């Protein structure tokens, strides 16, 4: 159980909004989630399942629907794998042609 009594939260991820800023908003939210994990003792390895469950609750309904299409069929992804898959999905890859 968390020792946090501050009511600290990173808030839910805001999936909606400008598509061009989705990747940067996701990366900012992930940073805030990592801070939240530290503040609430979810960064401990003994809390890995609780950290993943909290992450999946806080990503919001729309992002969770995306997650359901990316997860392993047996839903055994770790928190790190879930974060990596969603990051790959949300963060737009820059084209070398458009950057010149």
């Amino acid at each position: 159980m968390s020792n946090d009594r501050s009511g600290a939260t990173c808030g839910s991820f805001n999936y909606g909004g400008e598509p061009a800023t989705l990747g940067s908003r996701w990366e900012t939210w992930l940073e805030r989630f990592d801070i939240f994990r530290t503040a609430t003792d979810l960064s401990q390895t003994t809390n890995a399942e609780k950290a993943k469950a909290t992450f999946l609750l806080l990503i919001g309904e729309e992002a969770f629907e995306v997650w359901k299409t990316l997860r392993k069929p047996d839903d055994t992804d770790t928190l790190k794998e879930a974060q990596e898959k969603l990051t790959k999905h949300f963060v737009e890859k820059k084209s070398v042609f458009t950057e010149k």
Side-chain angles (χ1 to χ4, degrees):
M1 178 133 191
S2 170
N3 293 326
D4 176 53
R5 304 282 184 257
S6 68
T9 181
C10 60
S12 293
F13 173 62
N14 179 16
Y15 181 83
E18 181 62 41
T21 64
L22 181 63
S24 63
R25 285 185 285 118
W26 173 253
E27 290 175 329
T28 298
W29 186 84
L30 273 181
E31 287 181 50
R32 291 180 50 84
F33 180 74
D34 284 341
I35 294 166
F36 172 75
R37 285 181 59 205
T38 300
T40 59
D41 294 328
L42 284 176
S43 59
Q44 304 301 317
T45 55
T46 56
N47 289 330
E49 286 184 38
K50 186 175 181 180
K52 179 184 169 190
T54 302
F55 170 79
L56 292 175
L57 285 171
L58 291 175
I59 61 174
E61 292 180 35
E62 291 174 309
F64 186 75
E65 290 300 316
V66 172
W67 166 244
K68 289 177 9 181
T69 68
L70 301 173
R71 68 184 176 192
K72 293 177 185 173
D74 60 0
D75 199 22
T76 57
D77 296 276
T78 64
L79 172 60
K80 182 178 179 180
E81 289 172 325
Q83 290 175 329
E84 288 172 351
K85 286 179 179 182
L86 286 166
T87 297
K88 183 177 178 183
H89 180 81
F90 291 140
V91 177
E92 186 174 279
K93 303 283 189 230
K94 294 191 178 195
S95 168
V96 292
F97 297 108
T98 59
E99 289 185 5
K100 290 185 178 184

